[in-house]
Structures are given as structure tokens and as C-alpha cells.
Amino acid sequence: MFEDLRELYQEVIFDHNRNPRNFRVMENYDRMVEGFNPLCGDRLTLFLKMDGDLITDASFQGSGCAISTASVSLMTEIVKDKTEAQADALFKTFHEMTTGKEEHINLEAVGKLAVLAGVREYPARVKCATLAWHTLDAALKNEQQSISTE
Amino acid sequence: MTYPIEQIRADFPILSEKIRNKPLVYLDNAASCQKPQAVIDSIVKLYSHDYANVHRGVHTLSVRSTDLFEAAREKVKTFINAQSEKEIIFVRGATDAINLVAQTYGKANIHAGDEIIITAMEHHSNIVPWQMLCEEKGAILKIAPMNFDGELLMQEFEALLNPKTKLVSVVQMSNALGTINPVEKIIELAHAKNIPVLLDGAQAIPHTIVDVQALDCDFYVFSGHKLYAPTGVGVLYGKKALLEAMPPYQGGGDMIRTVTFEKSTYAGLPHKFEAGTPSIAEVIGLGSAIDYLNTIGMDKIAAHEAQLLTYATQEALKIDGLKIIGEAKEKGAILSFTLGKIHPHDIGTMLDSLGIAIRAGHHCAMPVMDFYKVPATARASFAMYNTKAEIDVLISGIKSLIEMFG
């Protein structure tokens, strides 16, 4: 019945939505930023543990749709043991992948995150996927306590 | 006479659109309604044959435009049974109308320590303008609570009325829950203490007969676009004596009698509150929408929608895990619901892939979401052109997406 949607709702997304990874409050975090999408009410709190410019741990709390939950869950997995510069590069590639400004995205560079490429066909849902990454961006810049997609 | 549903559907060209290769099932009417051909034609005809600015020129087109514009005011007056067309102020929408009252009546009459009462089920448009006024004046916003069915607690409401209360501003029908408030009783209780009442009719007016004289409300506001008319036009009704005593809202052309650099004097009603060139085509479109509704009859529309709501509610309750948000005994054609852990935005995207348009989100009523401890709900809202067959499509879509989510 939902053939058209399989590109957007891949099994990996359902899996991360049902069982989000790193879904916990972090004790002794170094960075904590809240991300909020006032349009839909999605809310998350991102925690980072840093060692110099290395992200040694990432976790989150919050509630949102399947796309936003899967996105933040996947993100906390992939940024672990990445440097700030590597995470920032991922953010940029992810952003290009989901907003569709580039025709040819190197999906290998984003690994598992490629399952979220389908949102580019759903402009109303792009912010669901990018909220996590904008929150990470703010955490890495260490300049804000909360960010909003609007 | 049976309800002419086939004819009505044929009158709305957009209803034959295909969305993602499926017939459109438009159930987002509480956000905005679709437009009948008669409304679309009236705008095309205006711009093709009759358009010029209103209230100014002596030339033929200006006279034609002005006549059509003022005829629309007369239609609104009759539609809500106001006493005089001077009581019909054209604004941009219900939000604009509430802001107008807050910035004029509110600024002149509400002072430090005074109280304004709203309810727990208001749209942001009937919260924020009062918060802004209260902040400026040092006044206090009081919230009349509701129960879990989404019904106003009338005893608690009554207990809030006191000599400091300067205004009651209440939604007639909740956009997030569908609740229809007992506005007659609210007005009676407030008036017994000489407190004026504003009714936010944005959601109610497409579903019910509104008679502002019978209601005896002091202000009534609504938006055109929820009444099958264009966006960018709404109405503030106010009792003449109140409007006359109020200071003007925005200054500019059309709202003045004389202007010198030392002092300006203001126009009479309704122009005092209509600074600048109005939404001419949109106002005329609103007049056409009212004509169209009158050919069907608001009583028949209300009866049709009540049947749809009863059927949708009965079928929705059969779905395991579906929870209806808002179960007031008196309810308009809105079905707000949640599906356990499936987020409303996912519901919205999935139903869209089946051609079904619903709203998913907080419905500009964040305090209502907080009350029910949900981030958002999915909302199907019905209009004069919806059918039981469309509700069947909705219900089967919901069942399928629950399966897909697993």
C-alpha cells in the first residue's frame, strides 16, 4: 500500500525509531544543547563527551517522529570517535544529501546515514532529519544552549 | 430534500485533483477550506471587468469595485445577523481581529491589576495578543480550565469572574479538540457582571449558524479562508457602541475624515478601523462564499458534518491503539487523535502518500498539547464536501500504516 514511501521509510529507520541507540542522559557531559523544531514540536537534548577535539561519546533524549528519532540515533553512532572537523564534514555532506542541492552525493562518505537520503523528496520532512545535525553543529561550536530550526 | 453532495463536490474544482496518483481526500479543513468555483469566478470576474481601488475615485470602475465591496459587507452583516453594516470591520483574519481589539479596546480599558479570562483550549491567536497586552499593562491573564474530555469547567469559569475581570475572550469551537463551548451560558454569566465577551468564531462559523444578536456577544471574529473564501480577509464584528468608543487601530488613508499636520480627525464606522487599501478581491470573494453557502443552507451543512463526525468517531474507535483527543459531548467536525508511539508527522506523511490530507502537529495550541502530554496530534477535519466514503479511505489508511510501523 505504501510502495511510494519505501524510499523514505526504510527498515533501518523503523529499527532506529523502535530502538533508538544512545538514548540516555549522559553524566559528566562536556557539551549539552537542546534542539527544537517549533513547527512540529520535535525536541531533543544532545550530550557530548569530548577529549580535546575528539568526540568520545554522544547520547540524546527527546521525542520526535520516526525520521528525526532515527536521524539523531544514527548520528550519535556515527560521530563517536570522530574529530570535530570530521563531524563537521559529515554534517555538511548530510546537509547536501538531504536538501538535494547537489545532484551527485558520495553516499559512501556518509555510510549508514544514506538511508535518510529519501527525505529530499519530501521537503516538509527535511527538517525532521536535519534537526539532530543542526543541534550537533551548535554543540561543536559550543556557542548556544538551544537551537531552533525556525 | 437530500443533501446535494454530488453537486457540492462538483462545485469545488480542486476535489478532482490527484495527489500522488490517488484521488484527493481533503481532511485539513480546520486549517483552511477549499474554494468553490463561484468564489474563484468572482475574483476572476472582478479583475477582468470591475477592478479599481475602493472608496476613492469618481470613475466607473472605482464605483463598481466599491459597490461590490460594500455589498460583501452587507452579506456578512446578514450572514451573522448583525444589527448594522457599520458593525462589520474587514481585517486580514481572525488573528488580526483579536489583535485589533487588544490594541484598541484593550489598551483603552484594561489597566494594571485588571484581569482577562481565556480558556485552556485557545488557539495561540487568542492567547498571545492578550499576553502582550497584559505584559504592557501589568494586567493578568486567567485561564479557565477544562476536563480531559476537553470540556470547559463551567463552575471554575464562573468562579474566575470578579470585579477585576475586564474581558472574557473565548473560542466558540476548539480547532485542536473540536469542542463547542457553551458560549450562550458564558456570555450570560459574564454579562451578569457587566463583562464584555469576545468570541473567536474562526473554527465555528463554517459549521454552524451564527447569530451575533441572539448570542449577544460583544465581539465576534472569524477568518474568510476557513469559510470557503480567500485568504487575507477576516471580520471583526463589534457592537456599535463599543466600536464607536474605541480608539482607532492603524492610522493611514481611508480611516480619516480630515488630516492636517497639527491634527487628524477619524472616519466613522466601519472605516475608522480600515486604514489603507483593503483586500478588495478577497472581501468580494468572501461575499461570494456566503452567497454559495446560503444556496446550500448552513443548517443542512451542519447536519451533514455531524453525520460525518459520528461515523468517523465510531470507525476510529474500532482501531486498536487509536486514542481520540477531545471527546466533548458538544463537538464540531474535528477528529484529533494519536496512535501510540507512531508520531503524527509520520501519520501525516503516510496518509499523504494515499492522497489523504490531514494536519499533524500542535495545531497552534501548544498549551492543549501540554495538557494532554502529547507533542502533537493527527487531526482529520471535515467540511461540507466530505463523504463517508472518504472516511473509509482514511480509516483503512490508518490501519495500513499501523501495520507498516509494526
Side-chain angles (χ1 to χ4, degrees), chain B residues 36-340:
Chain B
Q37 192 66 51
V39 168
I40 299 167
D41 286 348
S42 73
I43 296 166
V44 173
K45 179 178 172 291
L46 174 77
Y47 283 132
S48 309
H49 300 289
D50 303 317
Y51 178 79
N53 210 333
V54 291
H55 303 139
R56 295 200 175 85
V58 293
H59 59 80
T60 304
L61 288 183
S62 179
V63 172
R64 273 193 213 162
S65 261
T66 304
D67 286 351
L68 288 165
F69 185 86
E70 290 304 323
R73 196 187 306 274
E74 191 67 33
K75 288 171 191 178
V76 172
K77 180 208 118 181
T78 308
F79 191 65
I80 65 171
N81 194 32
Q83 210 165 48
S84 157
E85 74 284 349
K86 290 184 180 357
E87 297 173 319
I88 306 300
I89 316 290
F90 287 123
V91 291
R92 283 189 298 132
T95 298
D96 193 25
I98 295 173
N99 277 280
L100 189 159
V101 176
Q103 292 301 313
T104 59
Y105 181 85
K107 274 196 178 164
N109 295 287
I110 291 163
H111 307 288
D114 287 346
E115 296 178 0
I116 299 168
I117 300 177
I118 60 172
T119 76
M121 65 186 93
E122 301 303 330
H123 186 281
H124 294 164
S125 60
N126 197 29
I127 302 173
V128 184
W130 306 118
Q131 276 176 337
M132 290 164 67
L133 178 69
C134 286
E135 206 161 293
E136 186 184 324
K137 293 285 191 167
I140 300 150
L141 193 59
K142 294 279 183 183
I143 317 297
M146 62 179 171
N147 64 22
F148 247 73
D149 287 336
E151 293 168 326
L152 197 62
L153 297 171
M154 286 303 286
Q155 282 191 334
E156 321 256 341
F157 168 77
E158 194 175 354
L160 285 177
L161 297 167
N162 74 73
K164 284 189 218 152
T165 312
K166 289 292 151 63
L167 183 71
V168 171
S169 188
V170 177
V171 71
Q172 189 178 10
M173 173 175 157
S174 156
N175 74 310
L177 304 169
T179 307
I180 294 173
N181 278 318
V183 289
E184 293 86 352
K185 186 73 189 163
I186 288 170
I187 292 165
E188 186 193 317
L189 290 169
H191 282 183
K193 301 198 165 164
N194 292 318
I195 302 162
V197 178
L198 182 152
L199 292 185
D200 170 2
Q203 207 55 244
I205 199 163
H207 306 294
T208 181
I209 294 168
V210 173
D211 180 335
V212 291
Q213 291 189 72
L215 285 167
D216 199 26
C217 55
D218 300 278
F219 298 105
Y220 192 94
V221 309
F222 67 93
S223 295
H225 72 95
K226 289 187 171 55
L227 193 66
Y228 308 96
T231 52
V233 57
V235 169
L236 165 65
Y237 157 83
K239 284 182 181 167
K240 204 168 146 208
L242 280 172
L243 292 175
E244 272 171 350
M246 279 153 58
Y249 181 34
Q250 293 172 327
D254 248 8
M255 57 74 73
I256 45 83
R257 182 161 288 132
T258 59
V259 176
T260 65
F261 287 118
E262 288 70 39
K263 174 139 185 81
S264 299
T265 58
Y266 305 123
L269 293 176
H271 305 292
K272 180 170 90 174
F273 295 106
E274 294 181 356
T277 296
S279 301
I280 299 167
E282 291 75 7
V283 165
I284 292 167
L286 172 59
S288 303
I290 288 172
D291 287 342
Y292 178 75
L293 290 167
N294 286 336
T295 64
I296 312 291
M298 289 310 295
D299 51 341
K300 295 196 178 64
I301 293 169
H304 173 71
E305 290 172 344
Q307 282 181 4
L308 292 178
L309 179 67
T310 304
Y311 181 65
T313 305
Q314 164 204 315
E315 293 304 303
L317 286 172
K318 290 180 190 162
I319 299 175
D320 248 3
L322 184 147
K323 183 170 165 24
I324 293 177
I325 305 289
E327 297 184 284
K329 275 179 218 78
E330 296 295 326
K331 226 185 122 169
I334 282 177
L335 187 75
S336 215
F337 62 94
T338 57
L339 295 178

Side-chain angles (χ1 to χ4, degrees), chain A residues 1-6 8-9 14 17-18 36 38-42 63-67 121-122 125 128, chain B residues 20 22 341 343 345-347 349-354 359 361-362 366 375-376 396-397 400-401 404-406:
Chain A
M1 195 166 193
F2 294 100
E3 309 80 23
D4 307 353
L5 278 179
R6 280 293 169 192
L8 179 62
Y9 288 98
F14 283 130
N17 182 52
R18 270 183 227 117
F36 180 49
L39 217 60
C40 62
D42 284 359
S63 71
C65 63
I67 306 294
E121 302 299 328
Y122 295 84
R125 304 300 301 278
C128 308
Chain B
R20 298 189 185 267
K22 316 268 188 338
K341 283 185 146 179
H343 194 280
H345 275 99
D346 297 316
I347 301 172
T349 298
M350 291 188 159
L351 292 178
D352 178 63
S353 78
L354 305 175
R359 171 80 191 268
H362 52 59
M366 284 185 182
S396 118
S400 309
L401 78 86
M404 186 179 180
F405 251 78

Side-chain angles (χ1 to χ4, degrees), chain A residues 10-51:
Chain A
Q10 301 196 26
E11 206 38 57
V12 178
I13 288 176
F14 283 130
D15 173 38
H16 276 260
N17 182 52
R18 270 183 227 117
N19 308 298
R21 320 297 198 264
N22 302 307
F23 186 74
R24 57 188 154 82
V25 175
M26 192 187 290
E27 307 290 331
N28 305 319
Y29 58 81
D30 293 306
R31 311 263 171 93
M32 179 185 81
V33 174
E34 284 173 6
F36 180 49
N37 182 346
L39 217 60
C40 62
D42 284 359
R43 238 173 237 286
L44 65 91
T45 308
L46 179 69
F47 303 91
L48 297 180
K49 184 84 192 146
M50 308 295 295
D51 182 3

